[in-house]
Amino acid sequence: MAIHGIPTGVHRYDKELCCDGYNLFSPYFRNETHLINMEGEIVHTWKTNYFPGLFAHLMPNGDLVRGIRVPDQAVLFAGTTGGFERYDWDGNLLQRYIKNDHETQQVLSHAFCPMPNGNTIVICLEKKSNEEAYARGRIPGTLPEEGEWFEGKQHKGLFLDYLMEIDKDNNVVWEWHLWDHVGDAPDEFNLNYILPPAAHYFSTVDWVHFNAVDYDPIHDRVCMTCRNFGEFVIVDRKTGKLIYRWGNPSTHLRGRKPGWLDDGDQQLFGPHCGTFINEGKHILIHDNGWFRPKGNRSRALEVDIETGKIVWSYESHNPQNFTSPYQSSVQRLPNGNTLICSTGSGQIFEVTPGPQPRVVWEFVCPWLQDGRTVNYLDDTDVLYSTTSHIIKEGHMKNMIHRVYRYAKDYPAFQGKDLSHGVPIDPSIVRLWEMEPFKSGYERAKKNPWPQPIAYRENPDVK
């Protein structure tokens, strides 16, 4: 089956089964961050001077914490952005933090996490020379002497992730460096776990590639999603020790590596958005399925970190209906549903829990890279870069990196009138109310998907 065109806007909307609220996201190539209602109408917008880097959080007090992509970044690969900002509800700038040092090539990456105390944890990159990497145990000759060229800029050395906690006055109050935790032990990062050369700079200068960080205030822990390693790790913030990892035991000399059409013992392939749920007992994560030997397909997973078992998962019957090799997000909603953002197709959808989940809300982003707003996404609207092999397959021009749903009783909305939604574009039709979408959805409701698509390892786990 091939699909060469698809309407934008809301496709499905089951008012009875949805988690009613507002959806926050930043179109990838726009300076605005929008809050849209369930009908796909804009109810609030924050306008900024920067493209998103790459998403935003709405705080309970109504502040918006938004990543920004600064110009002339010191490092151009790994999704670096350079900074974040904080705005109040009315769009007044409260804070701007920029880390973009060309001399040291330290730069803020694209992931951050607001904390309950008002601080923000950010992921950054720092460079170590080839000689420094070899001295710490990297096999000599495995790093190119000339480095890697990306978007016309040369990058030499090995770039490692580190975390900083930034307070509202832009002071660094806590740091954690990957470089301090390299080695062969299970609680360390093996410098010689290296992706195949076909992964291009992921196999050389961009080694582990943290793409998400989340904070657990109950146990004072942070979860980092390691894209290239195919796992998530949990670090105790007080001691700095890696206390848990899941997804790919071969990274720390345990388990079988993938082979030809064999996933080995690896569970996650290019994952994103590892998030604490269930009071820190579980991790919800987007498994992109990037170069999975058994076939590229994405899925959402819920992992019990006490048992290491997958207690819930979701994937589509047709892998092409839900697959994004890069980026993307997941969020567990207050009613137990899961909100999924599939970046490659600019698609957001909500699925119900249980062994036979249903898609109860679905939205396709209408904002394109060239500034247009369209009511129909064509196959020719593919995003292609002649200088970056990373964004030339599997992405459309309507990309969204991450989305968050906030229920209508969220504290930020107290005293706010959000009843007057404005259509994104008058040409975008209300498809969920029209044929054949309406009858097709009703048909799908009567024919739930079979058991293998989603399951619970332990039905008693909620």
Side-chain angles (χ1 to χ4, degrees):
M1 182 180 72
I3 298 175
H4 291 85
I6 188 170
T8 61
V10 176
H11 289 194
R12 295 185 181 185
Y13 180 19
D14 186 327
K15 296 181 181 180
E16 294 181 359
L17 295 181
C18 281
C19 176
D20 194 14
Y22 303 99
N23 305 276
L24 181 79
F25 64 91
S26 304
Y28 207 91
F29 303 104
R30 308 276 293 201
N31 288 358
E32 301 91 4
T33 294
H34 298 293
L35 198 64
I36 67 170
N37 61 22
M38 301 298 289
E39 298 181 358
E41 300 169 329
I42 298 173
V43 298
H44 194 71
T45 296
W46 291 263
K47 294 184 178 181
T48 76
N49 295 322
Y50 298 95
F51 280 170
L54 296 168
F55 57 95
H57 288 267
L58 181 62
M59 307 310 295
N61 68 349
D63 287 355
L64 183 82
V65 182
R66 181 184 190 270
I68 59 174
R69 300 209 299 271
V70 302
D72 191 26
Q73 293 164 20
V75 176
L76 297 180
F77 62 83
T80 56
T81 59
F84 72 89
E85 294 178 328
R86 183 185 297 265
Y87 293 87
D88 66 16
W89 179 267
D90 297 319
N92 299 304
L93 180 64
L94 305 176
Q95 180 184 12
R96 176 181 291 139
Y97 179 85
I98 292 178
K99 182 72 173 179
N100 187 43
D101 192 320
H102 284 263
E103 183 176 349
T104 64
Q105 289 192 286
Q106 291 188 346
V107 58
L108 193 143
S109 185
H110 60 283
F112 61 94
C113 174
M115 303 173 69
N117 63 2
N119 296 350
T120 305
I121 297 179
V122 299
I123 298 177
C124 298
L125 288 180
E126 60 182 342
K127 186 183 78 170
K128 301 296 179 181
S129 68
N130 289 6
E131 293 71 26
E132 288 176 297
Y134 296 150
R136 287 294 297 272
R138 177 87 173 208
I139 297 173
T142 57
L143 292 170
E145 291 302 315
E146 71 281 4
E148 296 281 5
W149 287 88
F150 189 82
E151 302 289 359
K153 183 179 179 65
Q154 190 177 25
H155 302 80
K156 291 185 177 182
L158 189 67
F159 289 79
L160 296 96
D161 306 276
Y162 70 100
L163 304 182
M164 295 192 302
E165 180 183 344
I166 312 296
D167 69 15
K168 288 187 176 181
D169 296 319
N170 287 344
N171 299 307
V172 179
V173 298
W174 176 80
E175 292 187 48
W176 183 93
H177 291 256
L178 177 59
W179 185 245
D180 297 332
H181 301 272
V182 299
D184 298 334
D187 62 348
E188 295 178 315
F189 293 84
N190 190 334
L191 274 168
N192 292 305
Y193 180 82
I194 305 171
L195 293 180
H200 193 44
Y201 70 79
F202 286 133
S203 67
T204 55
V205 294
D206 188 11
W207 174 41
V208 178
H209 191 114
F210 291 171
N211 59 37
V213 58
D214 194 45
Y215 179 61
D216 170 19
I218 298 175
H219 304 96
D220 199 18
R221 305 174 299 183
V222 290
C223 175
M224 288 91 80
T225 309
C226 311
R227 186 194 188 283
N228 294 353
F229 273 40
E231 62 181 357
F232 64 81
V233 300
I234 297 175
V235 168
D236 180 87
R237 202 167 69 92
K238 287 188 175 66
T239 65
K241 291 183 178 180
L242 193 160
I243 57 176
Y244 188 84
R245 67 197 311 172
W246 190 92
N248 185 10
S250 68
T251 61
H252 44 288
L253 307 179
R254 308 289 191 276
R256 296 180 301 116
K257 283 188 173 183
W260 179 254
L261 296 179
D262 174 18
D263 290 350
D265 292 326
Q266 185 170 342
Q267 293 272 13
L268 301 175
F269 292 83
H272 284 75
C273 199
T275 306
F276 289 106
I277 61 171
N278 195 17
E279 298 182 334
K281 298 175 184 177
H282 294 180
I283 294 292
L284 184 68
I285 194 164
H286 186 287
D287 177 22
N288 292 68
W290 178 66
F291 288 122
R292 176 182 280 113
K294 288 186 176 180
N296 290 359
R297 72 181 308 156
S298 298
R299 57 182 181 161
L301 295 179
E302 180 182 346
V303 180
D304 184 333
I305 61 176
E306 294 181 358
T307 65
K309 298 291 186 179
I310 298 172
V311 297
W312 180 82
S313 73
Y314 169 83
E315 60 188 44
S316 62
H317 277 285
N318 181 352
Q320 296 175 355
N321 285 344
F322 170 34
T323 182
S324 180
Y326 310 109
Q327 306 186 48
S328 307
S329 67
V330 287
Q331 179 195 7
R332 179 58 46 82
L333 300 175
N335 68 346
N337 290 356
T338 301
L339 189 68
I340 300 172
C341 174
S342 185
T343 295
S345 56
Q347 183 183 21
I348 307 167
F349 58 98
E350 177 183 352
V351 298
T352 57
Q356 296 181 348
R358 287 212 310 265
V359 176
V360 295
W361 188 80
E362 187 172 14
F363 173 85
V364 175
C365 178
W367 286 283
L368 300 190
Q369 178 190 20
D370 58 11
R372 287 182 298 146
T373 302
V374 297
N375 63 2
Y376 186 81
L377 189 68
D378 190 78
D379 179 61
T380 58
D381 291 319
V382 65
L383 184 63
Y384 187 89
S385 169
T386 57
T387 56
S388 168
H389 86 292
I390 297 303
I391 307 180
K392 68 179 181 182
E393 296 176 353
H395 276 84
M396 301 294 283
K397 294 177 181 177
N398 66 330
M399 292 165 53
I400 302 172
H401 178 81
R402 190 184 293 190
V403 63
Y404 286 105
R405 168 85 54 79
Y406 299 92
K408 286 193 171 181
D409 61 357
Y410 189 61
F413 305 139
Q414 186 174 359
K416 308 292 194 305
D417 183 6
L418 302 178
S419 61
H420 304 290
V422 177
I424 296 172
D425 188 295
S427 66
I428 298 174
V429 298
R430 300 164 66 90
L431 291 173
W432 79 93
E433 297 178 328
M434 303 175 63
E435 299 293 350
F437 289 87
K438 183 177 180 179
S439 62
Y441 178 53
E442 292 300 322
R443 201 161 50 243
K445 289 170 66 174
K446 296 176 182 177
N447 296 279
W449 292 350
Q451 182 80 13
I453 296 303
Y455 65 92
R456 284 190 179 272
E457 192 81 29
N458 180 357
D460 296 328
V461 176
K462 303 298 183 183

